[in-house]
Amino acid sequence: MDYDAMAMDAEDLGPRVTVREAASDHVDFTLANVDLAFANSLRRTILAEIPVMAIDLVEVEANTSVLADEFIAHRLGLIPLNSKQVDDVLYTRDCDCEQYCDNCSVTLTLHARCTGDEIMKVYARDLVVGEPRPNEWVGQPVITDPEGLGSVICKLRKGQELRMKCIAKKGIAKEHSKWAPSSAVGFEYDPHNKLRHLDYWYEEDPIKEWPKSKNATWEEPPQEGEPFDYDAMPSRFYFEVESVGNLEPDAIIQQGIKVMQQKLAAVIQELTGDEGRNGVNGDAVDGFGGPRSPDGINGGGNYAIDQGYTTPYVNGGGASAWGGGATPYGATPYGQNGWAA
């Protein structure tokens, strides 16, 4: 291939990132000099494959509120937990323990009782993080409201009590949305629709009925009478990532790139047949590519014993209200019995 090396723009040799806006809970940036497949892969990785902490098991000791055990367990699972340096926490599938231990989980306790005549609200701040834990950050409930209360878990009337033990584990959103680090990922390219990837429906005038996004100011609009370029490809992509609080926005992007590197390293390893190589940054790479759920996909070993909550009043306290090793419908959505909820 003939080319003039001196005439090439050094800035166009690789991906280029331009941060347009950054805050503690979101980041707005552009990604240029990459193809659509790469940009979309990064978006999907950010949404579904970045490991974070979330409450996975709930042991119910007392619940006299009007909400069922399963309802409260689900609400607890959706409370964002700090996941800074989550690499210090092992996946349950990689730990030597039977179900959970200090190396692969964080224990939180909740004990609330209403003794007054007014309705009492139980908040995320009432969760007490146990020690020891892998580091000083992981497992702490994320509280961002000015009052410092956090999410509402439930409400109690006089004499009602809530006493639970919560086990937080490391996982990814591909298994359950409670392990999602981002609430939304905005993604756009070609805001002027020069490539004709969108076919706008309109009544009279598409320009008036479909206003341009803010990203349109970053690209030149099409000229009147300009011929259509059949070989044109998108090369600039606009991202806006919103964090739920368990990871900072820049950490979400960095973790997304790291996971993509691990998955690509796994593909290269499979193609070359070199079993002695490890993944990027020395991380071991399995044949399935990067992070998985805490109880594992494709079997999960012997870690998936609990349903997600247990109660001392049914079957001696060792199983869920439905009898242990299955969901209320008999199997998990993935066709395997006995996964933790």
Side-chain angles (χ1 to χ4, degrees), residues 10-93:
E11 295 183 357
D12 292 336
L13 293 178
R16 182 171 69 249
V17 176
T18 303
V19 178
R20 302 189 295 181
E21 183 181 355
S24 60
D25 59 348
H26 78 279
V27 61
D28 188 341
F29 67 95
T30 65
L31 178 62
N33 297 337
V34 298
D35 58 14
L36 178 58
F38 179 89
N40 192 49
S41 297
L42 179 60
R43 178 190 68 86
R44 291 171 61 92
T45 302
I46 291 174
L47 282 172
E49 299 193 51
I50 296 178
V52 295
M53 298 293 294
I55 293 176
D56 190 42
L57 303 178
V58 179
E59 298 177 3
V60 181
E61 300 178 11
N63 177 22
T64 56
S65 69
V66 297
L67 300 181
D69 297 348
E70 309 95 311
F71 197 100
I72 296 179
H74 183 263
R75 293 182 66 86
L76 288 169
L78 296 179
I79 295 175
L81 303 180
N82 195 325
S83 301
K84 185 177 181 180
Q85 296 187 10
V86 73
D87 291 340
D88 295 340
V89 184
L90 296 176
Y91 284 103
T92 303
R93 67 176 189 273

Side-chain angles (χ1 to χ4, degrees), residues 247-262:
L247 285 176
E248 296 179 351
D250 60 334
I252 294 177
I253 307 302
Q254 294 171 7
Q255 285 290 327
I257 295 173
K258 180 179 178 181
V259 170
M260 288 184 63
Q261 289 176 329
Q262 291 174 340

Side-chain angles (χ1 to χ4, degrees), residues 38 53 69 81 107 119 131 161-162 198 210-211 231 242 274 290 301 312 333-334:
F38 179 89
M53 298 293 294
D69 297 348
L81 303 180
T107 301
I119 294 177
E131 298 290 346
E161 182 182 10
L162 198 62
L198 294 178
W210 292 93
D231 297 324
E242 297 181 3
D274 187 359
Y334 299 89

Side-chain angles (χ1 to χ4, degrees), residues 139-150:
Q140 188 70 33
V142 175
I143 299 175
T144 57
D145 58 295
E147 294 79 13
L149 301 175

Side-chain angles (χ1 to χ4, degrees), residues 39-318:
N40 192 49
S41 297
L42 179 60
R43 178 190 68 86
R44 291 171 61 92
T45 302
I46 291 174
L47 282 172
E49 299 193 51
I50 296 178
V52 295
M53 298 293 294
I55 293 176
D56 190 42
L57 303 178
V58 179
E59 298 177 3
V60 181
E61 300 178 11
N63 177 22
T64 56
S65 69
V66 297
L67 300 181
D69 297 348
E70 309 95 311
F71 197 100
I72 296 179
H74 183 263
R75 293 182 66 86
L76 288 169
L78 296 179
I79 295 175
L81 303 180
N82 195 325
S83 301
K84 185 177 181 180
Q85 296 187 10
V86 73
D87 291 340
D88 295 340
V89 184
L90 296 176
Y91 284 103
T92 303
R93 67 176 189 273
D94 298 329
C95 192
D96 296 331
C97 65
E98 294 185 0
Q99 192 173 18
Y100 60 85
C101 66
D102 296 336
N103 296 322
C104 64
S105 66
V106 175
T107 301
L108 301 93
T109 55
L110 176 63
H111 187 194
R113 182 180 177 85
C114 181
T115 57
D117 295 330
E118 298 293 330
I119 294 177
M120 172 184 174
K121 294 183 179 180
V122 182
Y123 295 96
R125 69 170 182 182
D126 299 317
L127 287 167
V128 180
V129 183
E131 298 290 346
R133 49 182 169 156
N135 61 51
E136 60 181 311
W137 299 287
V138 293
Q140 188 70 33
V142 175
I143 299 175
T144 57
D145 58 295
E147 294 79 13
L149 301 175
S151 306
V152 177
I153 299 174
C154 72
K155 299 179 181 180
L156 302 178
R157 293 292 299 269
K158 184 175 182 180
Q160 294 180 341
E161 182 182 10
L162 198 62
R163 188 166 66 250
M164 297 179 171
K165 178 181 178 181
C166 309
I167 308 300
K169 294 185 179 182
K170 178 180 173 181
I172 60 175
K174 183 182 287 186
E175 166 67 12
H176 195 287
S177 60
K178 64 185 176 184
W179 280 300
S182 57
S183 56
V185 178
F187 179 75
E188 185 184 17
Y189 67 91
D190 188 25
H192 293 288
N193 198 27
K194 292 181 180 180
L195 303 177
R196 303 295 191 269
H197 285 185
L198 294 178
D199 187 11
Y200 294 125
W201 181 91
Y202 63 94
E203 293 182 348
E204 296 179 359
D205 188 354
I207 298 179
K208 295 181 179 180
E209 298 174 20
W210 292 93
K212 302 297 182 182
S213 69
K214 64 177 183 180
N215 299 321
T217 59
W218 284 69
E219 296 188 11
E220 291 293 332
Q223 302 298 322
E224 186 176 356
E226 179 181 352
F228 180 73
D229 185 0
Y230 290 91
D231 297 324
M233 300 290 291
S235 61
R236 181 188 295 269
F237 305 90
Y238 305 91
F239 284 82
E240 186 167 3
V241 179
E242 297 181 3
S243 171
V244 299
N246 43 22
L247 285 176
E248 296 179 351
D250 60 334
I252 294 177
I253 307 302
Q254 294 171 7
Q255 285 290 327
I257 295 173
K258 180 179 178 181
V259 170
M260 288 184 63
Q261 289 176 329
Q262 291 174 340
K263 294 173 75 68
L264 291 173
V267 172
I268 294 173
Q269 178 180 337
E270 291 295 327
L271 293 176
T272 58
D274 187 359
E275 298 180 357
R277 296 183 59 184
N278 288 330
V280 179
N281 299 328
D283 296 333
V285 178
D286 55 40
F288 300 95
R292 290 181 289 162
S293 65
D295 296 318
I297 302 176
N298 299 329
N302 296 322
Y303 305 116
I305 299 174
D306 197 280
Q307 266 300 305
Y309 77 95
T310 58
T311 170
Y313 307 109
V314 179
N315 299 328

